């Protein structure tokens, strides 16, 4: 029997590690989030997929998982490690700065979305108000495990999502106690309300105690681990802190993820945060993969096929209500239209914690088992489509930003007496900043709609357009421009544009970014007035800094730098078939017109 148990454990490990080894590289190759891949693997190998055939085909038991219960702890640990890693990226100062979003927008989103869903369920399905409220609050929750890895925590969308998810994670336990308080059995004696108050009071004292002890003990614990120079001991100390903190909050009725988040916040205040983050990252990714596989296992395609119309209506209804409420609240709080739109759609699906609240509602007899099972399937479908909602929200947001942002002063065809910048990446933004600093008018063009939307939002004069198309360049009327500055890192396209524009406008100053001296020579042959080889100048600057730090006198160093630059100028002159040496670096001379 021991051998049989060992084989079952090995088969589950085979499925999980095989999924991680196949899904992540395969989906990364096609630039698709592996979240979808893990869920699809869960559907395929789960009890409703190939796992249902193990009685007929015994060999399938080695590559499928028929029972999700043995791997459930690993899935829960993945969520705990995710919250821990989020805490590592934060700090108490940053968390305090988000307090208005957390307790303002976060609370309003949960309450309003929950009430609207509850009202809709009460009217449409005739669900009693207690059960409708339980379902509404459950479905109003959003997935921390899926949303934050996609949104991050530093972007405007990520900050908004983090704030709302933090409130939801804290509110899970009060919601469960609330459902117990309004249950038919508890309504008469009021035990549910007493339990809720007790948990909140005890939880407050425990969290304060953990913060005080953590600030005193964690630096000493990790200092001892660091002195051993043993990665294994450092990893053990990190996991010990996470598990102890999770058990501490879980033992008093709060969610274990609250303890994990607090542990991350405390370690983030120490100098060991970087090492802890790196050493725990593989465990977090693998455990999250297990969680996503369990989500896929909960989806029964046969049930979906039989009830597809009701399920489709339910999923769309929940997504629409949550997206509208979240977006409007963020707009009311001052967020940009694009940020509110993207965050609203991203947060629209239910959460993994929805399953916990649904189970609590069923236990409290607020909903019957059949209703709970239906909404569990809705939740699983919602989790599956979360990456698609993220993509949809991103696309809608950038179109909203383009449609609603103010048009720049210069429009297509009105480039008279302006410099025109092709490409608006890091180099293009820097050029625009310098031109703006010296009050030199410009207009930038880029074919990346995200860069255009971001640039407009930040106040830059930028238009959307694909400069690889001759008709776009023609509409810009470059004959009236003061200069053309090409900053995109596309050597072939840059040379083609230079040659085309030089043929149309012989006297226009054309300044182009070049990768190296060979590319600079090619641009000069095409007709550039000035070509700046970025690798040459950065290499010379690095060489200058290294030689000076090694004790070589500044005079000899500068002389050798100028000598090397002249050598490169001679090479570019020969390769580019120029009549005079090109300017590679100048602080005194303006760009000269093209001459051959």
């Amino acid at each position: 029997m021991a051998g049989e148990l060992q084989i079952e454990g090995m088969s589950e490990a085979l499925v999980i590690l095989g999924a991680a080894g196949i899904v992540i590289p395969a989906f990364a190759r096609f630039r698709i989030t592996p979240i979808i891949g893990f869920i699809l693997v869960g559907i395929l190998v789960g009890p409703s997929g190939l796992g249902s055939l193990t009685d007929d085909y015994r060999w399938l038991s080695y590559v499928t998982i028929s029972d999700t219960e043995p791997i459930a702890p690993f899935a829960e640990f993945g969520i705990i490690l995710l919250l821990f890693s989020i805490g590592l990226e934060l700090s108490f100062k940053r968390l305090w700065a988000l307090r208005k979003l957390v307790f303002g927008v976060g609370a309003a989103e949960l309450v309003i979305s929950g009430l609207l869903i509850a009202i809709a369920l009460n009217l449409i399905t005739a669900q009693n108000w207690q059960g409708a409220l339980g379902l509404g609050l459950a479905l109003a929750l959003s997935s921390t495990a899926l949303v934050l890895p996609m949104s991050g925590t530093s972007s405007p969308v990520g900050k908004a999502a983090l704030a709302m998810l933090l409130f939801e994670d804290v509110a899970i336990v009060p919601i469960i106690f609330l459902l117990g308080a309004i249950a038919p059995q508890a309504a008469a004696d009021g035990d549910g309300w007493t339990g809720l108050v007790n948990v909140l009071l005890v939880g407050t004292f425990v969290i304060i105690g953990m913060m005080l002890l953590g600030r005193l003990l964690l630096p000493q614990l990790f200092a001892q681990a660091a002195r051993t120079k043993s990665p294994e001991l450092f990893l053990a100390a990190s996991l010990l802190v996470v598990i102890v903190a999770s058990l501490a909050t879980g033992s008093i009725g709060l969610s274990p993820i609250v303890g994990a988040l607090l542990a991350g916040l405390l370690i983030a205040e120490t100098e060991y945060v970087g090492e802890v983050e790196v050493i725990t990252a593989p465990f977090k990714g693998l455990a999250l993969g297990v969680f996503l596989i369990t989500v896929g296992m909960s989806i029964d395609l046969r049930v979906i096929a039989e009830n597809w119309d009701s399920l489709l209506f339910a999923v769309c209804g929940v997504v629409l209500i949550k997206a509208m409420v979240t977006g409007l609240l963020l707009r009311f709080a001052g967020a940009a239209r694009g940020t509110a739109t993207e965050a609203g759609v991203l947060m629209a699906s239910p959460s993994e914690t929805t399953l916990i609240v649904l189970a609590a509602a069923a236990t409290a007899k607020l909903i019957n088992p059949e209703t709970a099972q239906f909404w569990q399937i809705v939740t699983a479908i919602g989790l599956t489509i979360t990456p698609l909602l993220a993509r949809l929200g991103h696309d809608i947001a950038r179109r909203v930003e383009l449609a609603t942002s103010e048009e720049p002063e210069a429009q297509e065809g009105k480039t008279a007496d302006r410099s025109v910048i092709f490409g608006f990446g890091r180099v293009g933004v820097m050029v625009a900043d310098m031109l703006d600093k010296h009050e030199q008018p410009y207009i930038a063009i880029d074919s990346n709609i995200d860069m255009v939307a971001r640039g407009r939002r930040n106040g830059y004069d930028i238009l959307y357009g694909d400069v690889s198309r001759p008709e776009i360049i023609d509409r810009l009327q470059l004959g009236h421009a003061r200069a053309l500055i090409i900053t995109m890192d596309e050597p072939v396209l840059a040379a083609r544009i230079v040659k085309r524009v030089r043929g149309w406008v012989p006297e226009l100053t054309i300044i182009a970014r070049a990768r190296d001296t060979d590319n600079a020579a090619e641009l000069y042959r095409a007709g550039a007035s000035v070509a700046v080889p970025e690798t040459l100048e950065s290499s010379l600057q690095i060489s200058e800094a290294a030689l000076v730090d090694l004790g070589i006198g500044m005079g000899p160093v500068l002389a050798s730098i100028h000598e090397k630059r002249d050598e490169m100028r001679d090479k570019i002159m020969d390769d580019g078939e120029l009549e005079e040496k090109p300017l590679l670096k100048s602080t005194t001379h303006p760009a000269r017109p093209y001459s051959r």
Side-chain angles (χ1 to χ4, degrees):
M1 183 172 179
E4 183 179 351
L5 291 174
Q6 186 177 4
I7 292 175
E8 289 180 0
M10 292 294 289
S11 67
E12 292 161 357
L14 174 64
V15 172
I16 293 168
L17 296 177
I22 296 173
V23 167
I24 294 177
F27 278 70
R29 181 178 180 84
F30 296 101
R31 297 182 179 181
I32 302 174
T33 173
I35 291 174
I36 297 177
F38 279 119
I39 293 176
L40 292 178
V41 168
I43 295 174
L44 178 65
V45 304
S48 300
L50 295 178
S52 63
L53 303 177
T54 53
D55 292 337
D56 298 327
Y57 304 95
R58 182 62 182 169
W59 61 271
L60 283 176
S61 62
Y62 299 104
V63 292
T64 60
I65 301 177
S66 302
D67 184 11
T68 60
E69 188 173 345
I71 65 171
F74 297 98
E76 294 171 4
F77 193 54
I79 300 175
I80 288 174
L81 284 180
L82 172 66
L83 267 293
F84 174 67
S85 66
I86 292 169
L88 293 176
E89 297 176 3
L90 296 172
S91 65
F92 285 105
K93 182 179 179 181
R94 185 179 174 193
L95 200 59
W96 180 253
L98 291 172
R99 64 189 184 280
K100 292 183 179 179
L101 278 175
V102 173
F103 296 102
V105 176
E109 183 273 332
L110 179 60
V111 172
I112 295 175
S113 295
L115 288 177
L116 289 178
I117 294 173
I119 292 171
L121 290 173
N122 181 260
L123 295 176
I124 297 174
T125 66
Q127 177 75 50
N128 62 71
W129 72 267
Q130 295 97 331
L133 180 60
L135 289 172
L137 290 174
L139 296 168
L141 299 169
S142 299
S143 174
T144 302
L146 298 187
V147 169
L148 288 184
M150 291 185 288
S151 68
T153 59
S154 57
S155 66
V157 173
K159 290 178 181 178
L162 173 64
M164 289 182 283
L165 290 169
L166 281 176
F167 182 84
E168 291 179 2
D169 291 338
V170 172
I172 292 171
V173 172
I175 288 174
I176 293 174
F177 274 93
L178 173 64
L179 298 183
I182 63 176
Q185 297 87 344
D189 53 25
D191 289 344
W193 296 107
T194 303
L196 174 60
V197 173
N198 288 338
V199 167
L200 292 178
L201 288 176
V202 175
T204 301
F205 285 111
V206 169
I207 290 174
I208 293 174
M210 290 173 60
M211 292 173 62
L212 295 176
L213 289 175
R215 288 181 179 274
L216 292 175
L217 299 180
L218 287 183
Q220 299 180 29
L221 173 65
F222 284 106
Q224 292 296 329
R227 288 191 183 99
T228 65
K229 297 184 178 180
S230 170
E232 294 83 3
L233 184 58
F234 208 93
L235 173 62
S238 302
L239 296 179
L240 174 66
V241 171
V242 178
I243 294 172
V244 169
S246 300
L247 289 176
T249 55
S251 63
I252 60 168
L254 290 176
S255 173
I257 61 180
V258 175
L261 178 66
L262 184 59
L265 285 168
L266 290 170
I267 295 177
E269 302 292 328
T270 71
E271 62 267 34
Y272 306 102
V273 57
E275 182 67 19
V276 173
E277 191 171 6
V278 170
I279 207 167
T280 57
F283 292 88
K284 180 195 72 174
L286 189 59
L288 268 180
V290 177
F291 162 71
L292 295 170
I293 289 175
T294 60
V295 171
M297 291 179 179
S298 66
I299 298 176
D300 190 334
L301 296 180
R302 286 167 293 192
V303 175
I304 294 177
E306 293 171 0
N307 304 276
W308 68 269
D309 50 349
S310 301
L311 291 169
L312 178 63
F313 181 77
V315 171
C316 292
V318 171
V319 168
L320 287 174
I321 290 175
K322 293 180 65 177
M324 291 178 62
V325 171
T326 304
L328 290 174
L329 286 173
L330 286 174
R331 279 295 293 156
F332 182 75
R337 287 185 176 89
T339 299
T341 302
E342 184 173 355
V345 178
L346 177 63
M347 299 278 291
S349 60
S351 167
E352 62 279 356
T353 51
T354 298
L355 302 173
I356 299 174
V357 180
L358 288 174
T363 303
K365 307 299 183 182
L366 297 176
I367 56 176
N368 58 50
E370 292 77 15
T371 302
Q373 183 181 22
F374 175 85
W375 290 105
Q376 285 170 355
I377 297 175
V378 170
T379 301
I381 295 173
L383 288 169
T384 305
I385 65 172
T386 298
L388 304 179
L389 291 175
R391 181 74 254 180
L392 177 64
H394 179 73
D395 292 342
I396 295 175
R398 65 185 186 182
R399 295 186 184 281
V400 167
E401 287 177 341
L402 284 177
T404 58
S405 59
E406 295 182 4
E407 288 292 329
E409 293 180 9
Q411 299 296 324
E412 296 180 18
K414 295 183 180 180
T415 57
D417 207 29
R418 289 176 178 264
S419 296
V420 180
I421 304 173
F422 282 2
F424 207 65
R426 289 175 294 179
V427 177
V429 170
M430 182 65 71
V431 171
D433 287 338
M434 296 306 297
L435 290 173
D436 192 54
K437 183 177 180 64
H438 293 277
E439 300 181 353
Q440 297 297 309
Y442 70 88
I443 183 69
I445 315 293
D446 200 286
S447 60
N448 187 318
I449 195 169
D450 291 324
M451 290 184 177
V452 174
R454 190 182 307 118
R456 288 190 182 182
R457 189 168 59 244
N458 294 331
Y460 291 101
D461 290 344
I462 180 170
L463 296 172
Y464 173 77
D466 185 359
V467 295
S468 65
R469 297 166 53 192
E471 59 270 24
I472 295 295
I473 298 178
D474 185 49
R475 292 179 63 187
L476 293 172
Q477 299 180 8
L478 293 175
H480 301 287
R482 296 179 64 184
L484 172 61
I485 306 170
I486 302 175
T487 68
M488 74 264 292
D489 186 20
E490 299 182 49
V492 176
L493 177 60
R496 190 165 70 242
I497 290 174
V498 169
K499 187 174 183 180
R500 182 183 299 144
V501 174
R502 178 59 67 204
W504 293 344
V505 193
E507 299 301 321
L508 178 65
T509 297
I510 303 177
I511 304 169
R513 169 189 180 184
R515 280 190 179 175
D516 49 32
T517 54
D518 293 336
N519 185 212
E522 181 183 5
L523 290 168
Y524 276 118
R525 285 195 299 270
S529 306
V530 176
V532 182
E534 55 184 350
T535 55
L536 171 63
E537 289 304 324
S538 61
S539 300
L540 293 177
Q541 290 180 30
I542 292 172
S543 301
E544 178 182 336
L547 290 170
V548 171
D549 285 345
L550 289 173
I552 310 299
M554 181 63 75
V557 170
L558 291 179
S560 62
I561 293 293
H562 289 312
E563 181 180 349
K564 189 65 176 178
R565 185 177 285 114
D566 285 339
E567 179 183 330
M568 293 295 100
R569 290 173 64 193
D570 290 335
K571 182 178 184 300
I572 293 175
M573 180 179 177
D574 293 338
D575 293 344
E577 302 173 1
L578 305 177
E579 297 177 358
E580 54 184 285
K581 290 183 179 181
L583 287 173
L584 293 184
K585 183 177 181 181
S586 175
T587 59
T588 57
H589 296 89
R592 294 195 295 264
Y594 161 75
S595 62
R596 291 288 297 270

